[in-house]
Amino acid sequence: MLWRHCAHLGRVLLPLVDQEAWRQARRHETLKTWGIDIVVGERLIEIFTALAAHAVVADTSVSAAGFDALPLSAVADAATGKRDIELLAGLPSAFADDSDRQAVNVFRLYTYKGGQYSRQLFHLSREVRHSCLVLVGRLPMPVPTCGDLFRRAAEVGLPQ
């Protein structure tokens, strides 16, 4: 249940950031500059966001029911403040969504391969942080939470 909340956060992040159309074009250009395929890069950004949220939840012992109160800024901080290997700690052994399992495995592979893959994860971590902070600045509440982001995603018609 908890992983589903984290994965959902990852899935809504970029569509909400992309409400300003120029942001998607800029991100695509940036991914190309970093030598990252756009589809792979965006999927890794989604899973990176989910992993960062999961790490914050594990650190703070928040339950699935309390996930909505998790500050979005904490997810942004975890994306760049935790080592890649730390983001993999405590993950479920099985995933309901096979695409999540595959994306986590790609992330894990990038983590263990090192070299250019570690550099790409570093760049992607900065992109996750930037995306979260864009949304923190855009949401009208003083401390936007994951629940606020989910409500915004529902308002604009993103899949639940």
Side-chain angles (χ1 to χ4, degrees):
M1 180 67 160
L2 178 58
W3 176 257
R4 285 183 32 211
H5 289 300
C6 296
H8 183 60
L9 180 68
R11 285 185 188 83
V12 301
L13 183 74
L14 292 180
L16 288 174
V17 167
D18 292 347
Q19 289 184 325
E20 297 169 307
W22 63 270
R23 290 192 184 273
Q24 182 182 50
R26 185 173 177 190
R27 183 178 57 256
H28 288 180
E29 187 61 37
T30 301
L31 289 170
K32 286 180 193 175
T33 301
W34 293 335
I36 302 172
D37 177 79
I38 292 169
V39 172
V40 172
E42 288 190 341
R43 183 62 178 128
L44 282 171
I45 289 169
E46 288 177 10
I47 211 67
F48 211 126
T49 303
L51 291 168
H54 193 271
V56 172
V57 167
D59 287 351
T60 59
S61 301
V62 171
S63 67
F67 186 84
D68 283 358
L70 188 70
L72 193 54
S73 60
V75 177
D77 292 344
T80 55
K82 292 200 168 283
R83 294 181 20 228
D84 303 335
I85 196 77
E86 290 177 294
L87 295 175
L88 295 168
L91 287 178
S93 56
F95 296 91
D97 185 333
D98 195 49
S99 69
D100 286 349
R101 182 189 57 76
Q102 289 174 352
V104 167
N105 285 339
V106 168
F107 185 94
R108 188 175 281 126
L109 180 65
Y110 275 37
T111 298
Y112 293 125
K113 276 189 132 180
Q116 79 178 40
Y117 298 100
S118 288
R119 190 170 41 260
Q120 289 178 352
L121 287 179
F122 170 77
H123 290 308
L124 293 171
S125 73
R126 308 292 289 174
E127 191 65 31
V128 169
R129 179 177 175 77
H130 174 74
S131 296
C132 288
L133 294 179
V134 163
L135 293 174
V136 164
R138 193 181 292 164
L139 294 171
M141 47 287 304
V143 181
T145 65
C146 293
D148 295 325
L149 199 63
F150 292 150
R151 283 184 284 286
R152 180 70 186 130
E155 288 171 7
V156 298
L158 293 177
Q160 300 295 319

